[in-house]
Amino acid sequence: MNPVSSSATPRVTIVMPSYNHAGYVEQAIRSVLDQDYPDIELIVIDDCSTDGSQEIIAALQRELGFRYIQHEQNCGLNPTLMEGYRTGTGKYTTALASDDALLPGKLRKQVAYLEQTGKDGVYANGLKLWDDGRTEAIDLEPVARRFNDGTMRDYAYVNDVQAPLFQSGLFLRTAILDLFPIVPGTSPTTGSF
């Protein structure tokens, strides 16, 4: 991880809310820090896990050097995500659940697309990984047909109830702050997805 972001490699903030995923959290963290992208800010926020997750995260934090926030009271998913988005410093941001993982090259490819197009966000198809080793494709093409360029924000805010767009996406931080007005005085952005 690079402590200083440059315009050639804008910083990417990954917000990882964690709650009782002791069997998966190490893989999730390593999948972020093993990306072939040079400027990653990982913020792991544990929301009072009771299954040993906190000890695993703390040991990995000492080894790998990411930011670790440990809640003293359970806050729930949305406040935890808001905290991460608010404290992140990246030009781009996304959330990754502590029982999910990033495929190799994801951040590099998505940042390149956003930098080339000037869009506020990009999402991708993905895979469901089952404990027995099976995989199942996640095809978001049917979702993509529901909006045109510039309308993803409105669609996502109202209809993305299971969050497939956010789970696979990478977004301009200001666009996320526009969607979830969590910082006082933040004004809406006018870009397009």
Side-chain angles (χ1 to χ4, degrees):
M1 288 187 308
N2 242 341
V4 178
S5 182
S6 73
S7 59
T9 56
R11 176 165 288 156
V12 173
T13 299
I14 308 292
V15 178
M16 184 180 296
S18 172
Y19 183 73
N20 286 346
H21 286 143
Y24 305 99
V25 69
E26 181 172 357
Q27 179 183 8
I29 289 169
R30 290 190 185 278
S31 79
V32 171
L33 299 177
D34 287 345
Q35 290 288 303
D36 61 353
Y37 189 77
D39 197 353
I40 298 170
E41 174 186 41
L42 174 60
I43 303 171
V44 179
I45 306 173
D46 188 83
D47 200 23
C48 298
S49 291
T50 59
D51 67 346
S53 293
Q54 293 175 347
E55 292 79 8
I56 293 167
I57 297 166
L60 289 167
Q61 192 278 331
R62 287 188 298 274
E63 175 189 344
L64 302 171
F66 54 88
R67 183 160 182 197
Y68 176 35
I69 299 169
Q70 191 172 352
H71 285 169
E72 293 182 17
Q73 294 181 340
N74 184 274
C75 298
L77 179 59
N78 287 339
T80 299
L81 286 172
M82 289 181 200
E83 178 181 3
Y85 293 138
R86 185 179 65 243
T87 59
T89 63
K91 177 178 180 180
Y92 299 110
T93 191
T94 192
L96 180 68
S98 57
D99 64 342
D100 289 345
L102 299 182
L103 292 174
K106 175 196 187 291
L107 296 179
R108 176 183 41 80
K109 292 173 187 175
Q110 288 186 323
V111 169
Y113 175 82
L114 293 173
E115 290 289 292
Q116 290 169 2
T117 65
K119 302 246 183 231
D120 287 358
V122 61
Y123 67 93
N125 293 330
L127 292 172
K128 291 181 183 177
L129 288 147
W130 302 102
D131 287 337
D132 63 6
R134 290 179 299 123
T135 62
E136 180 183 331
I138 301 170
D139 181 7
L140 295 177
E141 186 61 32
V143 174
R145 286 190 227 118
R146 297 184 185 190
F147 53 83
N148 297 314
D149 189 40
T151 63
M152 181 176 156
R153 183 179 301 142
D154 295 333
Y155 171 84
Y157 193 74
V158 174
N159 299 297
D160 194 28
V161 293
Q162 294 183 344
L165 298 175
F166 288 111
Q167 291 177 30
S168 71
L170 184 65
F171 305 95
L172 193 64
R173 182 173 173 264
T174 55
I176 292 295
L177 295 178
D178 181 29
L179 248 171
F180 304 102
I182 58 177
V183 176
T186 300
S187 60
T189 60
T190 57
S192 62
F193 285 91

